[in-house]
Amino acid sequence: MTSALDIVILAAGKGTRMRSDLPKVLHPLAGRPLVSHVIRAAREIEASRICVVYGFGGDAVPGALADDKLTFVLQAEQLGTGHAVQQALPHLHKSGVTLVLFGDVPLIRPDTLKPLVAAAQAGKLGLLTVVLQDATGYGRIVREHGKVVKIVEHKDATEAEREIREVNTGVLAVPTAKLAAWLGRLGNHNAQGEYYLTDIVAMAVADGVEVLASHPGDAWEVLGVNSKAQLAELERIHQRNIARELLDGGVTLIDPARIDVRGELNCGRDVSIDVGCVFEGSVALGDKVTIGPHCVLKDVRVAAGTRIEAFSHLAGADIGEDARIGPFSRLRPGAVLAREVHVGNFVEVKNSVVKAGAKMNHLAYIGDAEVGAKSNIGAGTITCNYDGANKHKTVIGDNAFIGSNAALVAPVSIGDNATIGAGSVIVKDAPAGELSLSRAKQLTVPGWQRPTKK
Ligand code: UD1
Ligand code: CA
């Protein structure tokens, strides 16, 4: 029988070297706070409780994570990692095991955590260590006859100990009752005057508890963020990993180093993505979708066979099959486009349903509207949806033809097969099948002379 697993995520530190007012663990990696990545990994190993220890920045951390399944524990003063875990103790199951994670080590994978939890379940102390070329700053793993006997922090280490390249990642798992006893005995007589969590390793050894060191599959999993440079480095590693997964799934990436996924990107077969694209939130691309260079897609669904051309910005839109969007198109939330719709350059569509085969190829604003199937929206057409106080709807029927530069003043409707003359300001409903226009009559002034320079 396995005992209850609780996870404690340490996230109280200020992160001085970030040089920012935002608590370190809230800085975004791939569009989400650092600590959210750690929480996601924690969730995948089914803990009975996940405690987040916060401190610097006050309620900013709980506020940003707002989640009733997390237990937030305040560490009012940051007196060290051991002190931080101690704050969480009252919330932990006494007969269970505890896994400690760092909120600023975002790329940790659940599979790496499992052996540690298993060690703790077996009554041992599971410790995640890694061998680094440059171990500067890290706690060093001191071994005797091959067995881990203690951890010394860099600042407390002797010259000889500083030669050790096996370092503490900060991640460990241990039976909670033992953890509680050891934490109660921690002192702060060290170079930093802090209560070090790492001191429990020597206590475990003294108590005859075996320390089992395991290692991450990849060293990048345990890299921490202490500065903007490290944050940028981890972002690149994370994006490289995502690009690799997309390639493995059969997606064509013109350059895997030039894609950014800040959320979930799901792709069908034979999807191709050109350089410089950013995907945010939840994006789904159907079979044979192609995305041109430098597009931004946020919370968008694109159905099979559709082409998104260069420099398009799409957010909260739903695009049907075999549509053609861009270059330079903007789709805003509530834009629902049916199959074979064409939206061209400098066209903005917001909160509108556009039916199959409708075209709006140049310079238009379609907002709070319905556009019927196969209708043609001329260049410069504007749905005047806003009267300064309220929004109103424009309804355009099927197979309508809206001449260039028409202003459709909502609420207004244009019937099926209606034609609107270019340059018209339409304030009354235009009947089906007829030509409607409102425009000053053209006149010619005979003999008129252009002024000349005096
Ligand atoms: C810690 C480890 C070190 C390890 C390194 C790995 C200790 C004493 N040292 O050192 O062995 O090699 O991580 O990156 O544990 N935190 C709190 N409250 C505090 C202090 C820290 O919540 O009072 C949090 C921080 O927000 C951070 C984590 O604990 O998420 C680690 O703290 P940090 O000060 O970065 O520890 P290091 O000196 O890097
Ligand atoms: Ca650190």
Side-chain angles (χ1 to χ4, degrees):
M1 215 203 82
T2 54
S3 33
L5 167 67
D6 294 318
I7 299 180
V8 178
I9 300 174
L10 302 190
K14 177 179 179 189
T16 309
R17 280 183 285 158
M18 298 298 277
R19 301 188 187 284
S20 167
D21 294 335
L22 191 67
K24 177 163 75 175
V25 295
L26 293 186
H27 282 264
L29 180 94
R32 288 189 298 132
L34 287 171
V35 66
S36 299
H37 293 265
V38 182
I39 291 168
R40 177 186 277 196
R43 289 228 161 94
E44 279 189 46
I45 52 173
E46 291 186 23
S48 35
R49 179 160 288 171
I50 299 176
C51 294
V52 178
V53 180
Y54 71 100
F56 177 76
D59 288 338
V61 170
L65 302 175
D67 182 329
D68 52 11
K69 289 194 208 77
L70 296 170
T71 304
F72 292 99
V73 180
L74 176 66
Q75 183 195 22
E77 263 188 297
Q78 284 78 65
L79 302 179
T81 49
H83 179 259
V85 176
Q86 213 166 15
Q87 309 312 302
L89 269 182
H91 303 278
L92 308 179
H93 296 84
K94 299 287 167 289
S95 58
V97 301
T98 298
L99 170 68
V100 178
L101 302 175
F102 283 2
D104 60 354
V105 180
L107 302 184
I108 192 87
R109 285 187 294 200
D111 281 349
T112 297
L113 302 174
K114 286 172 187 162
L116 300 166
V117 175
Q121 300 276 15
K124 299 169 187 172
L125 191 158
L127 190 65
L128 190 67
T129 76
V130 68
V131 173
L132 296 180
Q133 288 303 326
D134 179 10
T136 310
Y138 287 89
R140 305 300 206 283
I141 306 297
V142 179
R143 289 177 182 263
E144 279 171 16
H145 312 296
K147 287 205 179 298
V148 177
V149 294
K150 64 172 177 176
I151 298 177
V152 276
E153 290 305 301
H154 181 93
K155 286 183 177 149
D156 301 284
T158 62
E159 280 305 314
E161 286 166 338
R162 286 186 184 179
E163 295 297 311
I164 299 171
R165 293 200 295 117
E166 186 184 7
V167 305
N168 174 33
T169 64
V171 177
L172 57 79
V174 64
T176 306
K178 294 194 168 92
L179 176 68
W182 296 328
L183 288 177
R185 283 158 46 198
L186 284 183
N188 65 350
H189 303 293
N190 51 52
Q192 303 184 77
E194 287 183 4
Y195 296 91
Y196 291 163
L197 176 63
T198 44
D199 285 349
I200 71 166
V201 171
M203 293 178 184
V205 173
D207 285 356
V209 173
E210 193 183 337
V211 178
L212 216 61
S214 63
H215 315 290
D218 291 288
W220 49 255
E221 283 184 64
V222 296
L223 294 176
V225 174
N226 297 300
S227 63
K228 289 288 174 76
Q230 286 171 336
L231 179 63
E233 210 176 297
L234 262 64
E235 179 79 35
R236 282 309 102 205
I237 292 170
H238 187 54
Q239 294 299 340
R240 187 197 65 200
N241 293 343
I242 294 171
R244 184 55 207 246
E245 277 174 31
L246 291 169
L247 292 167
D248 289 348
V251 177
T252 298
L253 299 179
I254 303 303
D255 181 356
R258 282 185 287 168
I259 176 172
D260 285 86
V261 180
R262 301 173 191 153
E264 303 295 330
L265 173 59
N266 288 299
C267 297
R269 289 178 81 79
D270 296 306
V271 166
S272 172
I273 300 171
D274 212 325
V275 300
C277 293
V278 178
F279 298 90
E280 298 177 55
S282 168
V283 175
L285 306 179
D287 296 346
K288 295 191 169 60
V289 165
T290 66
I291 310 287
H294 303 290
C295 292
V296 177
L297 282 78
K298 178 180 185 181
D299 297 317
V300 170
R301 188 190 74 98
V302 183
T306 287
R307 296 173 66 91
I308 311 291
E309 307 283 3
F311 299 105
S312 293
H313 191 288
L314 318 178
D318 190 308
I319 304 166
E321 288 170 26
D322 300 314
R324 181 73 58 84
I325 311 297
F328 299 101
S329 295
R330 175 150 191 232
L331 301 184
R332 291 171 52 204
V336 178
L337 279 44
R339 56 182 302 128
E340 292 165 54
V341 163
H342 287 191
V343 175
N345 37 227
F346 310 109
V347 173
E348 173 180 345
V349 180
K350 181 216 77 168
N351 188 35
S352 296
V353 173
V354 180
K355 295 185 184 153
K359 292 189 174 73
M360 44 196 79
N361 279 325
H362 336 264
L363 300 158
Y365 172 62
I366 301 297
D368 304 309
E370 252 178 64
V371 178
K374 289 206 163 20
S375 284
N376 192 333
I377 308 294
T381 296
I382 306 289
T383 55
C384 309
N385 59 329
Y386 186 51
D387 60 14
N390 298 299
K391 299 279 175 65
H392 303 282
K393 193 168 176 182
T394 302
V395 178
I396 300 170
D398 293 344
N399 202 34
F401 182 96
I402 313 296
S404 296
N405 222 31
L408 309 177
V409 182
V412 73
S413 70
I414 314 294
D416 292 345
N417 300 301
T419 302
I420 302 297
S424 294
V425 176
I426 300 296
V427 296
K428 291 184 289 190
D429 290 354
E434 306 285 357
L435 168 66
S436 297
L437 69 168
S438 79
R439 172 201 286 171
K441 278 229 164 63
Q442 179 169 338
L443 59 81
T444 301
V445 179
W448 182 82
Q449 296 288 315
R450 231 186 258 171
T452 53
K453 232 188 175 103
K454 290 197 176 105

